[in-house]
Amino acid sequence: MAEDHVDVLIVGAGPAGLMLATWLAKCGVKARIVDKRGTKIFNGQADGLQCRTLEILDSFGIGHRAWRESNHMLEICLWNPDSNGVIHRSSRLPDTIPGISRFQQVVLHQGRIERFFLDAINEFSSGGVAVERGVLPTSLEIDRTCVEDPEAYPITVNLRHLSEEDATPKQSSTMSNGISAQDGLFRSNLMADDTADMLKTSELNQKANTTETIKAKYMVGADGAHSWVRKEIGLKLKGESTDYIWGVLDIVPITDFPDIRSRCAVHSANSGSIMVIPRENKLVRLYIQLTTTSKIQGQDSRTDRSWITPKVILESAQRILSPYKLDYRKLDWWTAYQIGQRVGSSFGVHDRVFLAGDAVHTHSPKAGQGMNVSMQDAYNLGWKLSSVIKGHSNRSILKTYEFERKAIAHALIEFDHKFSRLFSGRPAKDIMDEEGISMDEFRDAFQKGNLFASGIAVDYGRSLIVTKPVAENGASEATPATTSTPVTGIQDLAPGLKVGQRIPSVKVLNQSDARPWHLQELLPSNGTWRLLVVPGDVSQPGQKSRLEKLCGQLSNPESFLRRFTPNTARYDSVIEVITIHGAPRQSVDVFDFPEVLRPFHDVDGWDYEKIFVDDQSYHEGHGEFYKTFNIRRDEGCLVILRPDQYISYVGKLDDYESADRFFSEFMLPQNNLTLPNV
Ligand code: FAD
């Protein structure tokens, strides 16, 4: 039997698996990604992209594709019954809270997003990595004796290659209004998991099948809600036993409902609620909660889905939107799917096998979180795995994956729970109607939920790589925190740059050529840590001398910049230094800054892409970096950013020692005291 060695084996090529494969390809890690299906999805399924997800896609260079092709959702309209029980528009709100990101929430179907990832993986790996479709793992063994050895391959997986027929999902072509449409039921969790069936069928097809053994250092189960990997490692999802059943229609509507091109939440007096999502290509998605499994007594809803058809979903929508008329010319896709609110007891085992996405949490689709949170799990994990595999960090940082993402999954379930009640309940008739849902409460929850739903509110707790003060998140024993002398910075030096959160973006100018850049554009996802040197007004002698003191230490042959960067690697490949100063741009020149801030490279010459200024641009206004983040120009600060743009540390400009101690907690010396060209 063929045998291969890989650093990471990814099972499942949905949004989570593809995000991970993109990271690993970008960082040059040897990975394979397999999916039991023969094709990627072409339409339907998840659609909403939060602004944080767009920031992340942009950091891989694919954000513009999603931004251009998607439908931008700028407004939410809330509709509810008036005193006569007739629906009317009661509020209009911005869909994304103004100012929280340079992107706003958009909608684009999952198949396109998967396409962007596939192209990126191909580009980053120079064609070396591609999704292997129609491939199924059949056994998993973990050699526990060597899980702590960073060089070991403790995971053995057997893979079976299916025939094309086995790997092709069966489509039950649906006729409605005389029009055929693709349905998403083959991927719906209303269907029983078909992994076992596929295995059986493939076993029969001896000719087509081949098997192969993979030895892997790490493995990630991104294989969806039924996760085979989760079962193999003996983990379970825990949570509510009642499942909600949702009907979803993607149609080109014919309607006199005036807000059909805005996102709407419509509560009817007695016919239920509907979420309207305007999409690309004139499509509109309608989400309707049809029922809960607890209401389908005596039936196994997973197998009997015959009662759910596009007609049933459409008729529900028509009742809710009455007296407005609703029909369609084109039905593009439809599905019904069943959702419970559950989170994995653990996100992996031995810090060797991890779960991401639906494999480790499920919840309703109302807030468009499924695909986003799944991708963001993988976004959190990808750089950590790369860093350990490349020998830059020790294995301790892997513990922060579960610590950080489990908290998000629980927050998501809590949000979903609250929102489900408000969305699905009957509107209150008056203030005495305690069983009904108050529409004021719904609007408030919607507004508050918007920050959470944007993905921007993610705030990781204190750990080895997030230097919050102990008291702030009540860090417990379970926190994968620092050793005996944890590094703690001084948040007050930059109150607008919150440790634990992603760095917000404003425009800064390149000192050398005056070009404005969004700060986040300077932080592409390539596995690099960033040291943001924020020296304030360097035309003032005090700030200048503090900067020079810091740079003296940074350019020392034993500084953390040099210790943790391999001899053969570029000076900015492990920790990149970016300066954003606050003196008037024209009062200083790039060569006024110490050389370590603008290193010389044998091939490229001086690096002009490292020093930026907070000043007025010629054409795009003033980013107001110092003002926005409340940083004093006569004080400045040092900021450490993780490779995923989250803020690890804010401290004094000239406190080199704390930064050194921070990196020394988890980074591995590369035996390199003579970095070239710095
Ligand atoms: P998935 O997208 O489920 O991907 C898992 C992948 O793993 C699949 O490609 C599958 O073929 C593969 N796989 C599974 N088992 C194996 C195995 N044993 N071996 C190899 N490969 C395997 N979210 C929204 O926000 N809005 C929506 O409208 C919406 N609609 C949905 C409709 C349906 C029918 C479903 C199932 C989900 C929907 N979701 C929606 C949820 C959203 O699609 C998911 O949250 C998101 O896709 C999760 O991404 P993932 O990568 O974790 O898992």
Side-chain angles (χ1 to χ4, degrees), residues 22-72:
T22 304
W23 246 136
L24 299 177
K26 184 74 192 178
C27 294
V29 167
K30 189 178 174 200
R32 285 180 62 177
I33 172 166
V34 301
D35 196 294
K36 66 180 179 181
R37 300 293 175 198
T39 60
K40 76 170 192 66
I41 61 170
F42 291 101
N43 55 1
Q45 212 145 324
D47 57 358
L49 290 176
Q50 310 168 337
C51 35
R52 178 59 190 147
T53 304
L54 283 162
E55 291 177 1
I56 293 170
L57 296 183
D58 191 61
S59 75
F60 286 112
I62 53 179
H64 64 286
R65 295 184 70 183
W67 189 243
R68 212 166 39 216
E69 282 189 31
S70 56
N71 186 51
H72 293 209

Short mmCIF file of all heavy atoms in Angstrom, two decimals, residues 22-72:
data_model
loop_
_atom_site.label_atom_id
_atom_site.label_comp_id
_atom_site.label_asym_id
_atom_site.label_seq_id
_atom_site.Cartn_x
_atom_site.Cartn_y
_atom_site.Cartn_z
N THR A 22 -5.48 27.19 2.77
CA THR A 22 -4.94 28.44 2.24
C THR A 22 -3.80 28.95 3.13
O THR A 22 -2.72 29.32 2.65
CB THR A 22 -6.07 29.50 2.15
OG1 THR A 22 -7.12 28.97 1.35
CG2 THR A 22 -5.57 30.80 1.53
N TRP A 23 -4.04 28.97 4.43
CA TRP A 23 -3.00 29.40 5.40
C TRP A 23 -1.73 28.57 5.22
O TRP A 23 -0.62 29.08 5.15
CB TRP A 23 -3.50 29.17 6.82
CG TRP A 23 -3.75 30.34 7.72
CD1 TRP A 23 -4.84 30.48 8.52
CD2 TRP A 23 -2.92 31.49 7.98
NE1 TRP A 23 -4.74 31.64 9.24
CE2 TRP A 23 -3.58 32.27 8.93
CE3 TRP A 23 -1.68 31.93 7.49
CZ2 TRP A 23 -3.06 33.47 9.42
CZ3 TRP A 23 -1.16 33.13 7.97
CH2 TRP A 23 -1.85 33.87 8.91
N LEU A 24 -1.95 27.23 5.21
CA LEU A 24 -0.79 26.34 5.19
C LEU A 24 -0.03 26.50 3.89
O LEU A 24 1.21 26.50 3.87
CB LEU A 24 -1.23 24.89 5.40
CG LEU A 24 -1.94 24.61 6.75
CD1 LEU A 24 -2.40 23.16 6.83
CD2 LEU A 24 -1.06 24.95 7.95
N ALA A 25 -0.76 26.67 2.79
CA ALA A 25 -0.08 26.88 1.49
C ALA A 25 0.70 28.19 1.54
O ALA A 25 1.84 28.27 1.08
CB ALA A 25 -1.11 26.91 0.37
N LYS A 26 0.09 29.22 2.12
CA LYS A 26 0.76 30.53 2.18
C LYS A 26 2.05 30.43 3.00
O LYS A 26 3.04 31.09 2.71
CB LYS A 26 -0.21 31.54 2.82
CG LYS A 26 0.28 32.95 2.86
CD LYS A 26 0.24 33.59 1.50
CE LYS A 26 1.00 34.90 1.49
NZ LYS A 26 1.01 35.52 0.16
N CYS A 27 2.01 29.62 4.04
CA CYS A 27 3.18 29.50 4.92
C CYS A 27 4.15 28.41 4.46
O CYS A 27 5.14 28.14 5.13
CB CYS A 27 2.72 29.21 6.35
SG CYS A 27 1.82 30.57 7.09
N GLY A 28 3.85 27.75 3.36
CA GLY A 28 4.77 26.75 2.82
C GLY A 28 4.82 25.45 3.59
O GLY A 28 5.84 24.77 3.62
N VAL A 29 3.69 25.11 4.24
CA VAL A 29 3.64 23.86 5.00
C VAL A 29 3.09 22.75 4.11
O VAL A 29 2.16 22.97 3.33
CB VAL A 29 2.74 24.05 6.25
CG1 VAL A 29 2.40 22.72 6.90
CG2 VAL A 29 3.42 24.98 7.24
N LYS A 30 3.65 21.55 4.26
CA LYS A 30 3.22 20.44 3.41
C LYS A 30 1.89 19.86 3.93
O LYS A 30 1.84 19.30 5.03
CB LYS A 30 4.30 19.35 3.40
CG LYS A 30 4.01 18.29 2.37
CD LYS A 30 5.12 17.24 2.32
CE LYS A 30 4.70 16.13 1.35
NZ LYS A 30 5.42 14.90 1.56
N ALA A 31 0.84 20.06 3.13
CA ALA A 31 -0.48 19.60 3.59
C ALA A 31 -1.20 18.87 2.47
O ALA A 31 -0.91 19.07 1.29
CB ALA A 31 -1.31 20.80 4.03
N ARG A 32 -2.13 18.02 2.87
CA ARG A 32 -3.06 17.44 1.91
C ARG A 32 -4.46 17.69 2.41
O ARG A 32 -4.71 17.70 3.61
CB ARG A 32 -2.79 15.94 1.73
CG ARG A 32 -1.54 15.69 0.90
CD ARG A 32 -1.25 14.22 0.71
NE ARG A 32 -2.31 13.52 -0.01
CZ ARG A 32 -2.24 12.22 -0.34
NH1 ARG A 32 -1.16 11.52 -0.03
NH2 ARG A 32 -3.23 11.62 -0.98
N ILE A 33 -5.39 17.90 1.47
CA ILE A 33 -6.78 18.15 1.86
C ILE A 33 -7.67 17.23 1.04
O ILE A 33 -7.58 17.22 -0.19
CB ILE A 33 -7.16 19.65 1.72
CG1 ILE A 33 -8.67 19.85 1.94
CG2 ILE A 33 -6.71 20.27 0.40
CD1 ILE A 33 -9.07 21.32 2.16
N VAL A 34 -8.47 16.43 1.74
CA VAL A 34 -9.31 15.45 1.04
C VAL A 34 -10.78 15.73 1.35
O VAL A 34 -11.12 16.26 2.41
CB VAL A 34 -8.97 13.99 1.47
CG1 VAL A 34 -7.52 13.67 1.17
CG2 VAL A 34 -9.28 13.75 2.95
N ASP A 35 -11.63 15.38 0.39
CA ASP A 35 -13.07 15.55 0.60
C ASP A 35 -13.78 14.38 -0.06
O ASP A 35 -13.44 13.98 -1.17
CB ASP A 35 -13.56 16.87 -0.01
CG ASP A 35 -14.93 17.25 0.52
OD1 ASP A 35 -15.91 16.53 0.24
OD2 ASP A 35 -15.03 18.26 1.24
N LYS A 36 -14.76 13.85 0.63
CA LYS A 36 -15.43 12.65 0.10
C LYS A 36 -16.27 12.98 -1.13
O LYS A 36 -16.59 12.09 -1.91
CB LYS A 36 -16.28 12.00 1.19
CG LYS A 36 -17.46 12.81 1.65
CD LYS A 36 -18.25 12.06 2.72
CE LYS A 36 -19.43 12.89 3.21
NZ LYS A 36 -20.19 12.22 4.25
N ARG A 37 -16.64 14.25 -1.30
CA ARG A 37 -17.48 14.62 -2.43
C ARG A 37 -16.67 14.76 -3.71
O ARG A 37 -15.51 15.19 -3.68
CB ARG A 37 -18.18 15.95 -2.18
CG ARG A 37 -19.07 15.97 -0.99
CD ARG A 37 -20.26 15.06 -1.19
NE ARG A 37 -21.06 15.00 0.02
CZ ARG A 37 -21.94 14.03 0.25
NH1 ARG A 37 -22.10 13.05 -0.62
NH2 ARG A 37 -22.64 14.03 1.36
N GLY A 38 -17.34 14.48 -4.82
CA GLY A 38 -16.65 14.56 -6.10
C GLY A 38 -16.53 15.97 -6.64
O GLY A 38 -15.70 16.23 -7.50
N THR A 39 -17.37 16.90 -6.15
CA THR A 39 -17.33 18.27 -6.68
C THR A 39 -17.40 19.26 -5.54
O THR A 39 -17.84 18.92 -4.44
CB THR A 39 -18.56 18.58 -7.56
OG1 THR A 39 -19.73 18.42 -6.76
CG2 THR A 39 -18.62 17.69 -8.77
N LYS A 40 -17.00 20.49 -5.84
CA LYS A 40 -17.30 21.55 -4.89
C LYS A 40 -18.75 21.94 -5.08
O LYS A 40 -19.38 21.50 -6.04
CB LYS A 40 -16.37 22.75 -5.12
CG LYS A 40 -16.71 23.62 -6.30
CD LYS A 40 -15.87 24.88 -6.24
CE LYS A 40 -16.36 25.92 -7.23
NZ LYS A 40 -17.68 26.46 -6.94
N ILE A 41 -19.32 22.78 -4.20
CA ILE A 41 -20.71 23.14 -4.41
C ILE A 41 -20.79 24.29 -5.40
O ILE A 41 -19.87 25.10 -5.52
CB ILE A 41 -21.44 23.49 -3.09
CG1 ILE A 41 -20.80 24.68 -2.40
CG2 ILE A 41 -21.51 22.32 -2.19
CD1 ILE A 41 -21.66 25.16 -1.27
N PHE A 42 -21.88 24.34 -6.14
CA PHE A 42 -21.99 25.34 -7.20
C PHE A 42 -22.95 26.47 -6.86
O PHE A 42 -22.82 27.57 -7.37
CB PHE A 42 -22.39 24.67 -8.51
CG PHE A 42 -21.28 23.82 -9.04
CD1 PHE A 42 -21.29 22.45 -8.88
CD2 PHE A 42 -20.18 24.41 -9.63
CE1 PHE A 42 -20.23 21.66 -9.34
CE2 PHE A 42 -19.12 23.63 -10.09
CZ PHE A 42 -19.15 22.26 -9.94
N ASN A 43 -23.95 26.21 -6.09
CA ASN A 43 -24.79 27.32 -5.64
C ASN A 43 -25.43 26.95 -4.31
O ASN A 43 -25.25 25.87 -3.79
CB ASN A 43 -25.83 27.72 -6.69
CG ASN A 43 -26.69 26.55 -7.12
OD1 ASN A 43 -26.53 25.45 -6.64
ND2 ASN A 43 -27.59 26.80 -8.05
N GLY A 44 -26.16 27.95 -3.78
CA GLY A 44 -26.86 27.70 -2.53
C GLY A 44 -25.96 27.70 -1.32
O GLY A 44 -24.87 28.25 -1.32
N GLN A 45 -26.43 27.07 -0.27
CA GLN A 45 -25.79 26.95 1.04
C GLN A 45 -25.50 28.31 1.66
O GLN A 45 -26.23 29.27 1.42
CB GLN A 45 -24.57 26.07 0.99
CG GLN A 45 -24.41 25.32 2.31
CD GLN A 45 -23.86 23.93 2.17
OE1 GLN A 45 -24.18 23.25 1.21
NE2 GLN A 45 -23.07 23.50 3.13
N ALA A 46 -24.45 28.42 2.46
CA ALA A 46 -24.25 29.65 3.24
C ALA A 46 -23.97 30.83 2.31
O ALA A 46 -23.49 30.66 1.20
CB ALA A 46 -23.10 29.46 4.21
N ASP A 47 -24.26 32.01 2.79
CA ASP A 47 -24.14 33.14 1.89
C ASP A 47 -23.56 34.41 2.52
O ASP A 47 -22.94 35.20 1.83
CB ASP A 47 -25.49 33.46 1.25
CG ASP A 47 -26.57 33.75 2.30
OD1 ASP A 47 -26.25 33.65 3.50
OD2 ASP A 47 -27.70 34.06 1.92
N GLY A 48 -23.76 34.64 3.81
CA GLY A 48 -23.37 35.93 4.39
C GLY A 48 -21.90 35.99 4.76
O GLY A 48 -21.36 35.06 5.33
N LEU A 49 -21.24 37.08 4.37
CA LEU A 49 -19.85 37.30 4.79
C LEU A 49 -19.81 38.51 5.71
O LEU A 49 -20.15 39.63 5.30
CB LEU A 49 -18.96 37.56 3.58
CG LEU A 49 -18.69 36.39 2.64
CD1 LEU A 49 -17.88 36.84 1.45
CD2 LEU A 49 -17.96 35.27 3.38
N GLN A 50 -19.37 38.27 6.94
CA GLN A 50 -19.23 39.38 7.90
C GLN A 50 -18.08 40.28 7.50
O GLN A 50 -17.17 39.86 6.78
CB GLN A 50 -18.81 38.86 9.27
CG GLN A 50 -19.56 37.76 9.86
CD GLN A 50 -18.81 37.21 11.07
OE1 GLN A 50 -17.60 37.37 11.22
NE2 GLN A 50 -19.56 36.58 11.93
N CYS A 51 -18.07 41.48 8.07
CA CYS A 51 -16.96 42.37 7.70
C CYS A 51 -15.62 41.81 8.18
O CYS A 51 -14.61 41.96 7.49
CB CYS A 51 -17.17 43.81 8.11
SG CYS A 51 -18.02 44.11 9.61
N ARG A 52 -15.57 41.11 9.31
CA ARG A 52 -14.28 40.55 9.73
C ARG A 52 -13.81 39.48 8.73
O ARG A 52 -12.62 39.39 8.43
CB ARG A 52 -14.39 39.97 11.15
CG ARG A 52 -13.10 39.31 11.65
CD ARG A 52 -11.92 40.28 11.68
NE ARG A 52 -10.64 39.64 11.92
CZ ARG A 52 -9.47 40.05 11.42
NH1 ARG A 52 -9.41 41.12 10.64
NH2 ARG A 52 -8.36 39.42 11.70
N THR A 53 -14.76 38.69 8.23
CA THR A 53 -14.36 37.67 7.25
C THR A 53 -13.79 38.33 6.00
O THR A 53 -12.80 37.86 5.43
CB THR A 53 -15.56 36.78 6.88
OG1 THR A 53 -16.07 36.22 8.08
CG2 THR A 53 -15.15 35.66 5.95
N LEU A 54 -14.39 39.44 5.60
CA LEU A 54 -13.85 40.15 4.42
C LEU A 54 -12.45 40.68 4.69
O LEU A 54 -11.58 40.64 3.83
CB LEU A 54 -14.79 41.28 4.02
CG LEU A 54 -16.05 40.78 3.28
CD1 LEU A 54 -17.14 41.84 3.30
CD2 LEU A 54 -15.73 40.37 1.86
N GLU A 55 -12.23 41.17 5.91
CA GLU A 55 -10.87 41.62 6.26
C GLU A 55 -9.89 40.45 6.12
O GLU A 55 -8.77 40.60 5.63
CB GLU A 55 -10.83 42.16 7.69
CG GLU A 55 -11.59 43.46 7.89
CD GLU A 55 -11.60 43.95 9.35
OE1 GLU A 55 -11.00 43.29 10.23
OE2 GLU A 55 -12.22 44.99 9.61
N ILE A 56 -10.34 39.28 6.57
CA ILE A 56 -9.45 38.10 6.52
C ILE A 56 -9.21 37.68 5.07
O ILE A 56 -8.06 37.44 4.67
CB ILE A 56 -10.07 36.95 7.34
CG1 ILE A 56 -10.08 37.31 8.83
CG2 ILE A 56 -9.31 35.65 7.10
CD1 ILE A 56 -10.87 36.34 9.71
N LEU A 57 -10.29 37.63 4.28
CA LEU A 57 -10.10 37.27 2.87
C LEU A 57 -9.17 38.27 2.20
O LEU A 57 -8.31 37.91 1.39
CB LEU A 57 -11.45 37.23 2.15
CG LEU A 57 -12.46 36.18 2.61
CD1 LEU A 57 -13.72 36.23 1.75
CD2 LEU A 57 -11.88 34.77 2.58
N ASP A 58 -9.32 39.54 2.57
CA ASP A 58 -8.45 40.57 1.99
C ASP A 58 -6.99 40.34 2.37
O ASP A 58 -6.09 40.58 1.57
CB ASP A 58 -8.92 41.95 2.48
CG ASP A 58 -8.25 43.05 1.71
OD1 ASP A 58 -8.44 43.11 0.49
OD2 ASP A 58 -7.49 43.84 2.32
N SER A 59 -6.78 39.83 3.58
CA SER A 59 -5.39 39.61 4.02
C SER A 59 -4.74 38.46 3.24
O SER A 59 -3.52 38.32 3.27
CB SER A 59 -5.35 39.33 5.53
OG SER A 59 -5.80 38.02 5.81
N PHE A 60 -5.54 37.66 2.55
CA PHE A 60 -4.99 36.62 1.67
C PHE A 60 -5.02 37.06 0.20
O PHE A 60 -4.74 36.27 -0.70
CB PHE A 60 -5.79 35.32 1.80
CG PHE A 60 -5.52 34.56 3.07
CD1 PHE A 60 -6.50 34.43 4.04
CD2 PHE A 60 -4.28 33.97 3.30
CE1 PHE A 60 -6.27 33.73 5.21
CE2 PHE A 60 -4.05 33.27 4.47
CZ PHE A 60 -5.03 33.15 5.43
N GLY A 61 -5.46 38.30 -0.03
CA GLY A 61 -5.48 38.81 -1.41
C GLY A 61 -6.69 38.36 -2.21
O GLY A 61 -6.70 38.47 -3.44
N ILE A 62 -7.75 37.86 -1.54
CA ILE A 62 -8.93 37.43 -2.30
C ILE A 62 -10.19 38.20 -1.89
O ILE A 62 -11.27 37.92 -2.40
CB ILE A 62 -9.17 35.90 -2.18
CG1 ILE A 62 -9.22 35.45 -0.71
CG2 ILE A 62 -8.14 35.13 -2.95
CD1 ILE A 62 -9.48 33.96 -0.54
N GLY A 63 -10.03 39.17 -0.99
CA GLY A 63 -11.18 39.94 -0.52
C GLY A 63 -11.86 40.70 -1.64
O GLY A 63 -13.09 40.79 -1.70
N HIS A 64 -11.05 41.24 -2.56
CA HIS A 64 -11.65 42.08 -3.61
C HIS A 64 -12.58 41.27 -4.51
O HIS A 64 -13.56 41.80 -5.03
CB HIS A 64 -10.55 42.75 -4.44
CG HIS A 64 -9.69 41.78 -5.20
ND1 HIS A 64 -8.73 41.00 -4.59
CD2 HIS A 64 -9.67 41.43 -6.49
CE1 HIS A 64 -8.14 40.23 -5.48
NE2 HIS A 64 -8.69 40.47 -6.65
N ARG A 65 -12.29 39.98 -4.66
CA ARG A 65 -13.16 39.16 -5.52
C ARG A 65 -14.54 39.02 -4.88
O ARG A 65 -15.56 39.15 -5.53
CB ARG A 65 -12.54 37.78 -5.75
CG ARG A 65 -11.25 37.85 -6.54
CD ARG A 65 -10.69 36.47 -6.83
NE ARG A 65 -11.48 35.73 -7.81
CZ ARG A 65 -11.22 34.47 -8.17
NH1 ARG A 65 -10.19 33.83 -7.66
NH2 ARG A 65 -11.98 33.85 -9.06
N ALA A 66 -14.54 38.77 -3.57
CA ALA A 66 -15.82 38.64 -2.86
C ALA A 66 -16.54 39.99 -2.83
O ALA A 66 -17.76 40.07 -3.04
CB ALA A 66 -15.57 38.15 -1.43
N TRP A 67 -15.79 41.05 -2.62
CA TRP A 67 -16.37 42.39 -2.51
C TRP A 67 -17.04 42.78 -3.83
O TRP A 67 -18.13 43.36 -3.86
CB TRP A 67 -15.24 43.36 -2.15
CG TRP A 67 -15.64 44.75 -1.78
CD1 TRP A 67 -15.30 45.90 -2.44
CD2 TRP A 67 -16.42 45.17 -0.64
NE1 TRP A 67 -15.82 46.99 -1.79
CE2 TRP A 67 -16.51 46.57 -0.69
CE3 TRP A 67 -17.05 44.49 0.41
CZ2 TRP A 67 -17.20 47.33 0.26
CZ3 TRP A 67 -17.75 45.24 1.36
CH2 TRP A 67 -17.82 46.63 1.28
N ARG A 68 -16.38 42.45 -4.94
CA ARG A 68 -16.89 42.85 -6.25
C ARG A 68 -18.11 42.02 -6.67
O ARG A 68 -19.07 42.55 -7.18
CB ARG A 68 -15.78 42.66 -7.28
CG ARG A 68 -15.84 43.67 -8.40
CD ARG A 68 -14.60 43.74 -9.23
NE ARG A 68 -14.01 42.43 -9.47
CZ ARG A 68 -12.71 42.21 -9.53
NH1 ARG A 68 -11.86 43.20 -9.36
NH2 ARG A 68 -12.23 41.01 -9.77
N GLU A 69 -18.07 40.74 -6.43
CA GLU A 69 -19.14 39.87 -6.94
C GLU A 69 -20.37 39.83 -6.05
O GLU A 69 -21.42 39.39 -6.49
CB GLU A 69 -18.61 38.43 -7.05
CG GLU A 69 -17.77 38.20 -8.26
CD GLU A 69 -17.46 36.72 -8.44
OE1 GLU A 69 -18.28 35.87 -8.06
OE2 GLU A 69 -16.37 36.43 -8.96
N SER A 70 -20.22 40.24 -4.81
CA SER A 70 -21.29 40.02 -3.84
C SER A 70 -22.34 41.11 -3.91
O SER A 70 -22.13 42.16 -4.49
CB SER A 70 -20.68 40.01 -2.44
OG SER A 70 -19.98 41.23 -2.26
N ASN A 71 -23.45 40.85 -3.26
CA ASN A 71 -24.44 41.91 -3.03
C ASN A 71 -24.13 42.54 -1.68
O ASN A 71 -23.93 41.84 -0.69
CB ASN A 71 -25.85 41.32 -3.02
CG ASN A 71 -26.89 42.42 -2.94
OD1 ASN A 71 -26.85 43.37 -3.73
ND2 ASN A 71 -27.78 42.33 -1.98
N HIS A 72 -24.08 43.86 -1.65
CA HIS A 72 -23.74 44.56 -0.41
C HIS A 72 -25.02 44.84 0.37
O HIS A 72 -25.95 45.42 -0.16
CB HIS A 72 -23.01 45.86 -0.72
CG HIS A 72 -21.66 45.62 -1.33
ND1 HIS A 72 -20.61 46.47 -1.18
CD2 HIS A 72 -21.19 44.59 -2.07
CE1 HIS A 72 -19.56 45.98 -1.83
NE2 HIS A 72 -19.89 44.84 -2.38
#
